[in-house]
């Protein structure tokens, strides 16, 4: 996706094969959605080849912090995984790790403990 001056966008017709062409978008409603998508991707992006260290205060990675935020806002595992670009299986793995660190036996308990510790 290419966005120009927040007023125009080029979106591949087929993300798997960019030789099929692109869609030129100027309609404000569609642009707003594309801009939101871009901003979300930008906010969770990591420089190519870089890894983010764990937060020394919480022991959470950036992905785990964002996962907690998304699940806390009411998203399902699948929806949170899609936003983060990870599978629902990876979401479950992250949540198991977080629950273990919190000493929680359920996600509800994990949410309460994470909030009490200031992780949310």
């Amino acid at each position: 996706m290419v966005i120009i001056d927040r007023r125009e966008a080029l979106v591949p017709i087929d993300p798997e094969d960019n030789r099929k062409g692109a869609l030129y978008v100027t309609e404000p409603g569609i642009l707003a959605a594309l801009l939101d998508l871009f901003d979300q991707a930008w906010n969770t992006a990591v420089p190519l080849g870089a890894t983010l260290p764990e937060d020394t205060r919480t022991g959470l990675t950036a992905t785990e912090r964002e996962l907690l935020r998304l699940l806390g806002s009411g998203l399902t595992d699948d929806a949170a995984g899609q936003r983060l670009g990870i599978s629902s299986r990876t979401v479950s793995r992250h949540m198991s790790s977080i629950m273990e660190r919190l000493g929680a036996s359920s996600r509800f308990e994990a949410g309460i403990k994470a909030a009490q510790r200031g992780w949310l």
Side-chain angles (χ1 to χ4, degrees), residues 7-60:
R7 289 184 296 200
E8 303 170 286
L10 289 174
V11 183
I13 291 172
D14 181 353
E16 301 297 321
D17 184 4
N18 60 10
R19 293 175 294 172
K20 291 185 177 176
L23 178 64
Y24 175 69
V25 179
T26 58
E27 204 284 293
I30 296 172
L31 276 170
L34 292 172
L35 289 166
D36 285 346
L37 174 64
F38 176 84
D39 289 339
Q40 183 179 21
W42 183 266
N43 289 334
T44 59
V46 176
L48 189 60
T51 58
L52 286 178
E54 290 183 354
D55 182 328
T56 55
R57 185 178 61 84
T58 64
L60 297 173

Side-chain angles (χ1 to χ4, degrees), residues 11-120:
V11 183
I13 291 172
D14 181 353
E16 301 297 321
D17 184 4
N18 60 10
R19 293 175 294 172
K20 291 185 177 176
L23 178 64
Y24 175 69
V25 179
T26 58
E27 204 284 293
I30 296 172
L31 276 170
L34 292 172
L35 289 166
D36 285 346
L37 174 64
F38 176 84
D39 289 339
Q40 183 179 21
W42 183 266
N43 289 334
T44 59
V46 176
L48 189 60
T51 58
L52 286 178
E54 290 183 354
D55 182 328
T56 55
R57 185 178 61 84
T58 64
L60 297 173
T61 65
T63 301
E64 289 170 333
R65 268 193 320 276
E66 183 65 9
L67 176 60
L68 278 175
R69 189 188 71 73
L70 292 171
L71 293 175
S73 71
L75 291 182
T76 64
D77 284 7
D78 288 337
Q82 285 178 336
R83 292 235 180 130
L84 293 170
I86 59 177
S87 70
S88 57
R89 179 179 227 161
T90 301
V91 169
S92 295
R93 211 170 47 245
H94 280 305
M95 280 308 299
S96 293
S97 174
I98 292 167
M99 288 171 60
E100 184 177 318
R101 281 182 269 164
L102 288 168
S105 57
S106 70
R107 286 180 173 221
F108 182 77
E109 183 183 6
I112 291 171
K113 288 184 174 187
Q116 289 172 340
R117 292 184 185 189
W119 292 10
L120 297 174

